[in-house]
């Protein structure tokens, strides 16, 4: 019975790894839509979020069934509980990509981000996407060292977030309040996306080994 449980948990973790790659692609497309004013691509990200939500629900249902019917203990219990939390984190990452896409749709036919700020937002997006892909790999492999790297990536994202506020506080900012609000929200979306990627990695490692780069998932 324990072997069958291990197989089920491994399958759920593999599904989460794929889900993390999906939200990485969602953020990539959402950023492209936002910076280039591609409203159809934005709509595709927005509508595609329903599939991510449905996958989260399905994975959580399977994990709850394991808890209810098989009553796992020790590592298996940690893994089953982690599946539920990680599925929620990844779903939230999908929501944040959708928020970026909605900003693109809201400002169409214009763009939500002034041209001179595009490089900064691109760096935030690249960092967020890389973190989601690393989290996916941690789910697939249980690589503790890779999970630890995400803390450094998150520090980079936090610095980029501060850089955005530096741009906004500069007296030479030539744009209207609407552009400032859009940029503030977008920066927050990327920063929160990164936080969830870190949480995915920490929860995964903690579930398997009971410790890791930080034994208390956030």
């Amino acid at each position: 019975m324990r072997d069958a449980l291990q197989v089920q948990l491994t399958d759920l973790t593999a599904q989460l790894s794929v889900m993390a790659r999906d939200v990485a692609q969602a953020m990539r497309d959402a950023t492209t839509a936002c910076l280039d004013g591609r409203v159809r691509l934005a709509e595709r990200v927005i509508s595609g979020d329903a599939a991510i939500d449905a996958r989260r629900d399905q994975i959580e249902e399977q994990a709850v069934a394991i808890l209810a019917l098989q009553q796992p203990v020790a590592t298996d219990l940690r893994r089953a509980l982690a599946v539920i939390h990680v599925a929620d984190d990844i779903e939230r990452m999908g929501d944040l990509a959708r928020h970026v896409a909605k900003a693109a749709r809201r400002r169409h036919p214009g763009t939500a981000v002034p041209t001179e700020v595009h490089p900064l937002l691109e760096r935030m997006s690249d960092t967020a996407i890389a973190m989601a892909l690393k989290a996916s790999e941690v789910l697939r492999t249980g690589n503790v060292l890779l999970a630890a790297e995400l803390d450094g990536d998150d520090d980079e994202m936090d610095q980029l977030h501060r850089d955005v506020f530096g741009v906004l506080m500069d007296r030479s900012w030539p744009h209207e309040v609407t552009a400032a609000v859009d940029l503030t929200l977008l920066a927050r979306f990327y920063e929160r996306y990164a936080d969830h990627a870190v949480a995915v990695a920490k929860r995964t490692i903690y579930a398997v080994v009971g410790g890791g780069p930080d034994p208390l998932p956030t």
Side-chain angles (χ1 to χ4, degrees), residues 22-119:
D22 288 345
V23 298
Q25 185 61 50
M27 184 58 87
R28 181 180 290 110
D29 289 343
T31 302
T32 298
C34 193
L35 297 182
D36 296 346
R38 295 176 55 182
V39 69
R40 289 185 180 179
L41 184 59
E43 292 287 3
R44 191 164 72 198
V45 173
I46 293 165
S47 62
D49 188 58
I52 295 171
D53 292 348
R55 186 175 301 179
R56 185 275 311 273
D57 292 343
Q58 182 181 45
I59 290 171
E60 285 189 351
E61 286 174 6
Q62 293 178 53
V64 169
I66 288 173
L67 291 171
L69 300 176
Q70 304 199 35
Q71 299 181 338
V73 296
T75 299
D76 292 338
L77 175 61
R78 289 201 306 269
R79 289 182 67 189
L81 291 172
V83 162
I84 295 171
H85 290 299
V86 167
D88 191 57
D89 281 316
I90 297 174
E91 188 272 335
R92 285 293 300 133
M93 292 165 75
D95 286 346
L96 290 160
R98 186 189 68 212
H99 292 335
V100 173
K102 283 186 173 181
R105 183 176 66 181
R106 186 167 58 248
R107 299 305 174 204
H108 183 75
T111 60
V113 182
T115 302
E116 66 268 28
V117 193
H118 281 202

Side-chain angles (χ1 to χ4, degrees), residues 45-206:
V45 173
I46 293 165
S47 62
D49 188 58
I52 295 171
D53 292 348
R55 186 175 301 179
R56 185 275 311 273
D57 292 343
Q58 182 181 45
I59 290 171
E60 285 189 351
E61 286 174 6
Q62 293 178 53
V64 169
I66 288 173
L67 291 171
L69 300 176
Q70 304 199 35
Q71 299 181 338
V73 296
T75 299
D76 292 338
L77 175 61
R78 289 201 306 269
R79 289 182 67 189
L81 291 172
V83 162
I84 295 171
H85 290 299
V86 167
D88 191 57
D89 281 316
I90 297 174
E91 188 272 335
R92 285 293 300 133
M93 292 165 75
D95 286 346
L96 290 160
R98 186 189 68 212
H99 292 335
V100 173
K102 283 186 173 181
R105 183 176 66 181
R106 186 167 58 248
R107 299 305 174 204
H108 183 75
T111 60
V113 182
T115 302
E116 66 268 28
V117 193
H118 281 202
L120 184 53
L121 264 291
E122 287 171 351
R123 287 175 62 194
M124 294 192 83
S125 174
D126 289 345
T127 301
I129 292 165
M131 292 177 73
L133 293 175
K134 282 185 181 181
S136 173
E137 190 67 8
V138 170
L139 282 160
R140 191 181 71 82
T141 65
N143 188 323
V144 175
L145 295 178
L146 190 61
E149 285 183 15
L150 281 158
D151 280 329
D153 296 335
D154 193 45
D155 290 341
E156 179 181 351
M157 179 64 82
D158 289 342
Q159 181 57 56
L160 291 168
H161 194 209
R162 289 191 290 270
D163 291 345
V164 168
F165 282 98
V167 169
L168 292 171
M169 296 300 292
D170 194 311
R171 292 188 178 185
S172 65
W173 174 260
H175 304 285
E176 296 179 355
V177 172
T178 299
V181 171
D182 284 341
L183 183 55
T184 300
L185 290 173
L186 287 167
R188 179 61 173 163
F189 297 153
Y190 290 116
E191 190 266 338
R192 288 299 299 145
Y193 184 100
D195 287 345
H196 284 291
V198 172
V200 167
K202 287 184 177 181
R203 294 184 198 280
T204 301
I205 296 303
Y206 182 73

